[in-house]
């Protein structure tokens, strides 16, 4: 049997002679794909083959592809307990092969064992229950930390709290104002088109006011803060994990919750309701902008309808949403940071997870609050 | 001369998940020792340190520090042991949002009764002791890697601990800084009687400072040798230890 791979001036010939397989190489063996040749070799190793010999037939240049071919062939030979010889190959190639086989200590813990369906289901269930346990423990720790804070036993530093507050309060005003102004504008536009058909465009004022105050203001603030602050929490705390700073805290006996989570949580609990009020207000201005300048509604009349539609109940429900969202964002951001792995990659993962989790939970909680309000008739 | 053990490790098995790194290890660290944990890469030296400092629960066995078993200690007891030990992490692990002085003041504020001005002076003194006089108001991002290590050491020493742990103190340091750190370790040990546990594989350093050691082996997952590193070099108990201590010479 004879196979020849010929490309420019390289060739590898595989021949069988009684119980011996000859692999003869010649010319420049660089940059070539070993897999097809390897398959041919594999096919040629029949039952009667007892020996594989590499033959150097005027080999010129070679690179890792030849090394790979030799390595994989030897692995095959070792597998099938066939003897082999690479004695005629260049000295340095032989040395590299020896090096590759020098340490045969495989990590014993990284086994990618195939699980069957039931096993998979079992593992998933166990991992979900253990995850629920850790989350419950985390929330419990936070509550006890808040308790320590209320009784003035917390190790939280005032300066950490103030800088966290500065970060999620004053520094977020610009973006929150802009986005909620635009959302108010969009709400008004969309509403106006419909209401105009009935000649009821003045009710745009009520639509925007109720929409922003009851829910849209809080949701917009929640999404902005989850993206800019929650993710920053996850990234900061995750990086502290990578830098062993969390270990240092733990071995110093300082509570990570008191020290890292509490200042962030408290500042968000304070900032979120205030930002929500700001967003409500800016949204109403956005609506007025459309009403007055584009639909030519009289200014005074617009505000009259807007204020008529304003109800303290809706306003407070909106602020309550903001408060809950603050809790969720801080919880998700800090949790993802604290459970971050120990390399740069996992900081990225933690950051993404914090934003996604926060938004999902905000929507879930909104649903729950809405149902409860419905039942209570609020 | 019988020495008093400050750390005693009995039948310790450590690992992650199902994976065992080291099984049934027994050794003790005596008061006033400079104790070296050595071995090849990936044999579990850092993990051993994490167990000794209570960051990683062992799979089996006890770690008794100053008479308290940390694997079964109550939070209050654990707290007490932590106040008595300082740790220098591989990268220094300074809190990046605080200045060097604030980093060192943190444990003092938590665990000592000094007045705020005394605490400030103490932080200044500790920084000066590690050769960082005048760097009080610098942030960790504004100093070099070697300086971070020294600042980390200053923080580890803040509460005058009985035991100080080092994870690869000389990694990433130039030979002179590394030598200076070794001198600092010896000085600490001599003048304050601090017990010191060092993970290292720098030969020059471990011969210069070590008074006792253990050698961990990844293949057998056991402690292959114990004793003074210089003695181990003179009478190597086995091939692995000899090769390690002579940079791979074969006997
Ligand atoms: N968090 C972890 N989860 C699972 N396995 C781990 C974890 N940390 C370390 N290991 C494994 O434990 C082994 C020992 O790691 P360790 O960091 O203790 O080694 P080391 O002796 O300090 O090595 P080096 O000298 O390179 O620092 C490694 O093989 C590693 O794969
Ligand atoms: Mg290590």
């Amino acid at each position: 049997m004879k196979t020849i791979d010929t490309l420019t001036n390289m060739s590898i010939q595989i021949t069988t002679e009684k119980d011996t397989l000859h692999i003869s190489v010649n010319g420049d063996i660089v940059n070539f794909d070993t897999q097809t040749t390897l398959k041919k070799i594999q096919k040629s190793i029949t039952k009667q083959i007892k020996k594989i010999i590499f033959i150097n037939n005027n080999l010129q240049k070679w690179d890792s592809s030849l090394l790979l071919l030799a390595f994989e062939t030897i692995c095959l030979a070792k597998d099938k307990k066939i003897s082999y010889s690479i004695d005629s190959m260049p000295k340095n190639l032989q040395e590299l092969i020896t090096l590759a086989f020098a340490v045969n200590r495989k990590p014993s813990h990284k086994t990618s064992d195939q699980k069957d369906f039931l096993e998979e289901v079992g593992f998933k269930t166990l991992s979900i229950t253990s995850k629920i346990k850790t989350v419950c423990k985390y929330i419990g720790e936070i509550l006890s930390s808040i308790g320590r804070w209320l009784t003035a036993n917390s190790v939280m530093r005032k300066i950490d709290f103030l800088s966290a507050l500065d970060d999620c309060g004053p520094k977020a005003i610009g973006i929150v104002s802009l986005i909620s102004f635009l959302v108010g504008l969009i709400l008004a536009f969309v509403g106006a088109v419909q209401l105009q058909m009935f000649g009821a465009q003045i009710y745009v004022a009520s639509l925007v006011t109720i929409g922003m105050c009851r829910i849209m203001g809080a949701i917009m603030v929640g999404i902005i803060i989850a993206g800019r602050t929650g993710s920053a929490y996850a990234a900061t705390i995750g990086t502290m994990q990578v830098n062993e700073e969390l270990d240092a805290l733990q071995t110093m006996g300082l509570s990570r919750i008191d020290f890292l989570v509490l200042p962030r949580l408290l500042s968000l609990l304070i900032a979120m309701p205030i930002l929500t009020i700001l967003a409500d207000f800016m949204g109403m201005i956005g609506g007025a902008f459309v009403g007055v300048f584009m639909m030519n509604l009289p200014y005074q009349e617009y505000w009259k309808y807007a204020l008529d539609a304003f109800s303290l109940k809706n306003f407070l429900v909106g602020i309550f949403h903001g408060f809950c969202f603050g809790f969720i964002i801080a919880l998700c951001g800090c949790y993802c940071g604290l459970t971050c792995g120990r390399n740069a990659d996992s900081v990225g993962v933690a950051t993404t997870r914090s934003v996604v989790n926060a938004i999902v939970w905000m929507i879930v909680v909104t649903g729950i609050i809405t149902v409860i309000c419905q039942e209570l008739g609020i | 001369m019988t020495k008093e053990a400050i750390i005693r490790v009995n039948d310790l098995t450590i690992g992650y998940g199902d994976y065992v790194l080291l099984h049934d290890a027994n050794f003790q660290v005596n008061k006033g020792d400079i104790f070296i944990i050595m071995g090849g890469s990936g044999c579990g030296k850092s993990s051993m340190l994490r167990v000794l400092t209570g960051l990683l629960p062992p799979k089996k066995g006890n770690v008794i520090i100053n008479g308290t078993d940390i694997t079964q200690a109550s939070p209050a007891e654990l707290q007490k042991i932590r106040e008595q030990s300082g740790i220098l992490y591989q990268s220094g692990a300074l809190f990046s949002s605080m200045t060097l002085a604030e980093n060192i003041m943190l444990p003092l504020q938590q665990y000592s009764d000094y007045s705020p001005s005394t605490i400030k002076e103490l932080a200044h003194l500790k920084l000066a002791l590690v050769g960082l006089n005048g760097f009080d108001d610098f942030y960790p991002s504004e100093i070099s890697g070697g300086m971070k290590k020294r600042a980390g050491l200053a923080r580890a020493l803040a509460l005058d601990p009985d035991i100080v742990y080092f994870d690869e103190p000389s990694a990433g340091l130039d030979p002179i800084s590394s030598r200076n750190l070794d001198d600092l370790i010896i000085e600490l040990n001599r003048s304050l009687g601090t017990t010191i546990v060092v993970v290292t594989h720098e030969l020059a350093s471990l011969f210069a400072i070590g008074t006792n050691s253990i050698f961990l082996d990844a293949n057998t997952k056991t402690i292959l040798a114990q004793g003074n590193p210089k003695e181990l070099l003179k009478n190597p108990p086995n091939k692995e230890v000899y090769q390690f201590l002579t940079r791979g010479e074969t006997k």
Side-chain angles (χ1 to χ4, degrees), chain A residues 72-87:
Chain A
E72 296 202 312
T73 311
I74 292 172
C75 284
L76 270 178
K78 285 192 171 182
D79 242 19
K80 304 204 163 157
K81 305 212 162 47
I82 303 173
S83 68
Y84 61 88
S85 143
I86 50 170
D87 294 345

mmCIF file of all heavy atoms in Angstrom, chain A residues 72-87:
data_model
loop_
_atom_site.group_PDB
_atom_site.id
_atom_site.type_symbol
_atom_site.label_atom_id
_atom_site.label_comp_id
_atom_site.label_asym_id
_atom_site.label_seq_id
_atom_site.Cartn_x
_atom_site.Cartn_y
_atom_site.Cartn_z
ATOM 1 N N GLU A 72 1.357 12.361 17.741
ATOM 2 C CA GLU A 72 0.072 11.658 17.725
ATOM 3 C C GLU A 72 0.234 10.210 17.278
ATOM 4 O O GLU A 72 -0.446 9.316 17.777
ATOM 5 C CB GLU A 72 -0.913 12.409 16.827
ATOM 6 C CG GLU A 72 -1.216 13.789 17.399
ATOM 7 C CD GLU A 72 -2.519 14.371 16.912
ATOM 8 O OE1 GLU A 72 -2.737 14.337 15.688
ATOM 9 O OE2 GLU A 72 -3.296 14.848 17.756
ATOM 10 N N THR A 73 1.160 9.991 16.336
ATOM 11 C CA THR A 73 1.410 8.618 15.901
ATOM 12 C C THR A 73 1.946 7.781 17.057
ATOM 13 O O THR A 73 1.536 6.635 17.270
ATOM 14 C CB THR A 73 2.415 8.604 14.736
ATOM 15 O OG1 THR A 73 1.990 9.540 13.774
ATOM 16 C CG2 THR A 73 2.520 7.224 14.124
ATOM 17 N N ILE A 74 2.864 8.395 17.834
ATOM 18 C CA ILE A 74 3.428 7.655 18.966
ATOM 19 C C ILE A 74 2.350 7.377 20.013
ATOM 20 O O ILE A 74 2.310 6.292 20.603
ATOM 21 C CB ILE A 74 4.617 8.432 19.567
ATOM 22 C CG1 ILE A 74 5.765 8.449 18.562
ATOM 23 C CG2 ILE A 74 5.080 7.801 20.864
ATOM 24 C CD1 ILE A 74 6.908 9.336 18.941
ATOM 25 N N CYS A 75 1.475 8.367 20.216
ATOM 26 C CA CYS A 75 0.361 8.131 21.143
ATOM 27 C C CYS A 75 -0.462 6.933 20.692
ATOM 28 O O CYS A 75 -0.817 6.067 21.507
ATOM 29 C CB CYS A 75 -0.544 9.358 21.223
ATOM 30 S SG CYS A 75 0.141 10.686 22.192
ATOM 31 N N LEU A 76 -0.742 6.883 19.367
ATOM 32 C CA LEU A 76 -1.483 5.750 18.806
ATOM 33 C C LEU A 76 -0.748 4.447 19.081
ATOM 34 O O LEU A 76 -1.324 3.451 19.535
ATOM 35 C CB LEU A 76 -1.609 5.909 17.291
ATOM 36 C CG LEU A 76 -2.821 6.645 16.751
ATOM 37 C CD1 LEU A 76 -2.728 6.734 15.238
ATOM 38 C CD2 LEU A 76 -4.079 5.911 17.157
ATOM 39 N N ALA A 77 0.564 4.471 18.796
ATOM 40 C CA ALA A 77 1.374 3.267 18.961
ATOM 41 C C ALA A 77 1.356 2.812 20.414
ATOM 42 O O ALA A 77 1.206 1.623 20.712
ATOM 43 C CB ALA A 77 2.802 3.551 18.505
ATOM 44 N N LYS A 78 1.499 3.790 21.342
ATOM 45 C CA LYS A 78 1.501 3.445 22.764
ATOM 46 C C LYS A 78 0.158 2.840 23.163
ATOM 47 O O LYS A 78 0.097 1.901 23.949
ATOM 48 C CB LYS A 78 1.777 4.688 23.608
ATOM 49 C CG LYS A 78 3.234 5.102 23.558
ATOM 50 C CD LYS A 78 3.551 6.144 24.605
ATOM 51 C CE LYS A 78 5.060 6.345 24.637
ATOM 52 N NZ LYS A 78 5.515 7.285 25.618
ATOM 53 N N ASP A 79 -0.890 3.419 22.592
ATOM 54 C CA ASP A 79 -2.237 2.936 22.857
ATOM 55 C C ASP A 79 -2.374 1.475 22.480
ATOM 56 O O ASP A 79 -2.943 0.671 23.223
ATOM 57 C CB ASP A 79 -3.223 3.752 22.017
ATOM 58 C CG ASP A 79 -4.190 4.499 22.901
ATOM 59 O OD1 ASP A 79 -3.858 4.658 24.092
ATOM 60 O OD2 ASP A 79 -5.245 4.912 22.400
ATOM 61 N N LYS A 80 -1.862 1.142 21.276
ATOM 62 C CA LYS A 80 -2.044 -0.215 20.761
ATOM 63 C C LYS A 80 -0.879 -1.125 21.105
ATOM 64 O O LYS A 80 -0.751 -2.222 20.558
ATOM 65 C CB LYS A 80 -2.220 -0.145 19.234
ATOM 66 C CG LYS A 80 -3.365 0.782 18.841
ATOM 67 C CD LYS A 80 -3.926 0.452 17.494
ATOM 68 C CE LYS A 80 -5.274 1.122 17.376
ATOM 69 N NZ LYS A 80 -5.725 1.367 16.042
ATOM 70 N N LYS A 81 0.019 -0.622 21.945
ATOM 71 C CA LYS A 81 1.178 -1.395 22.397
ATOM 72 C C LYS A 81 2.031 -1.886 21.222
ATOM 73 O O LYS A 81 2.442 -3.052 21.159
ATOM 74 C CB LYS A 81 0.725 -2.583 23.263
ATOM 75 C CG LYS A 81 -0.136 -2.152 24.433
ATOM 76 C CD LYS A 81 0.049 -3.047 25.632
ATOM 77 C CE LYS A 81 -0.443 -2.390 26.896
ATOM 78 N NZ LYS A 81 -1.758 -1.758 26.834
ATOM 79 N N ILE A 82 2.269 -0.995 20.274
ATOM 80 C CA ILE A 82 3.131 -1.291 19.132
ATOM 81 C C ILE A 82 4.447 -0.579 19.384
ATOM 82 O O ILE A 82 4.454 0.528 19.912
ATOM 83 C CB ILE A 82 2.500 -0.741 17.832
ATOM 84 C CG1 ILE A 82 1.099 -1.335 17.638
ATOM 85 C CG2 ILE A 82 3.376 -1.018 16.636
ATOM 86 C CD1 ILE A 82 0.345 -0.719 16.490
ATOM 87 N N SER A 83 5.559 -1.186 19.013
ATOM 88 C CA SER A 83 6.834 -0.493 19.203
ATOM 89 C C SER A 83 7.030 0.513 18.084
ATOM 90 O O SER A 83 6.432 0.394 17.010
ATOM 91 C CB SER A 83 7.980 -1.502 19.223
ATOM 92 O OG SER A 83 8.119 -2.063 17.955
ATOM 93 N N TYR A 84 7.854 1.513 18.382
ATOM 94 C CA TYR A 84 8.050 2.541 17.367
ATOM 95 C C TYR A 84 9.494 3.017 17.403
ATOM 96 O O TYR A 84 10.210 2.802 18.386
ATOM 97 C CB TYR A 84 7.108 3.726 17.613
ATOM 98 C CG TYR A 84 7.329 4.409 18.934
ATOM 99 C CD1 TYR A 84 8.261 5.443 19.055
ATOM 100 C CD2 TYR A 84 6.627 4.011 20.070
ATOM 101 C CE1 TYR A 84 8.485 6.054 20.269
ATOM 102 C CE2 TYR A 84 6.848 4.622 21.271
ATOM 103 C CZ TYR A 84 7.777 5.641 21.382
ATOM 104 O OH TYR A 84 8.002 6.245 22.585
ATOM 105 N N SER A 85 9.918 3.678 16.309
ATOM 106 C CA SER A 85 11.275 4.207 16.302
ATOM 107 C C SER A 85 11.305 5.533 15.563
ATOM 108 O O SER A 85 10.755 5.672 14.468
ATOM 109 C CB SER A 85 12.209 3.184 15.644
ATOM 110 O OG SER A 85 13.177 3.856 14.899
ATOM 111 N N ILE A 86 11.947 6.527 16.195
ATOM 112 C CA ILE A 86 12.111 7.817 15.526
ATOM 113 C C ILE A 86 13.596 8.140 15.430
ATOM 114 O O ILE A 86 13.994 9.283 15.319
ATOM 115 C CB ILE A 86 11.372 8.944 16.289
ATOM 116 C CG1 ILE A 86 11.729 8.913 17.787
ATOM 117 C CG2 ILE A 86 9.880 8.866 16.105
ATOM 118 C CD1 ILE A 86 11.217 10.132 18.531
ATOM 119 N N ASP A 87 14.426 7.066 15.481
ATOM 120 C CA ASP A 87 15.875 7.264 15.563
ATOM 121 C C ASP A 87 16.459 8.036 14.386
ATOM 122 O O ASP A 87 17.475 8.711 14.524
ATOM 123 C CB ASP A 87 16.580 5.903 15.684
ATOM 124 C CG ASP A 87 16.220 5.255 17.015
ATOM 125 O OD1 ASP A 87 15.702 5.999 17.881
ATOM 126 O OD2 ASP A 87 16.423 4.040 17.177
#
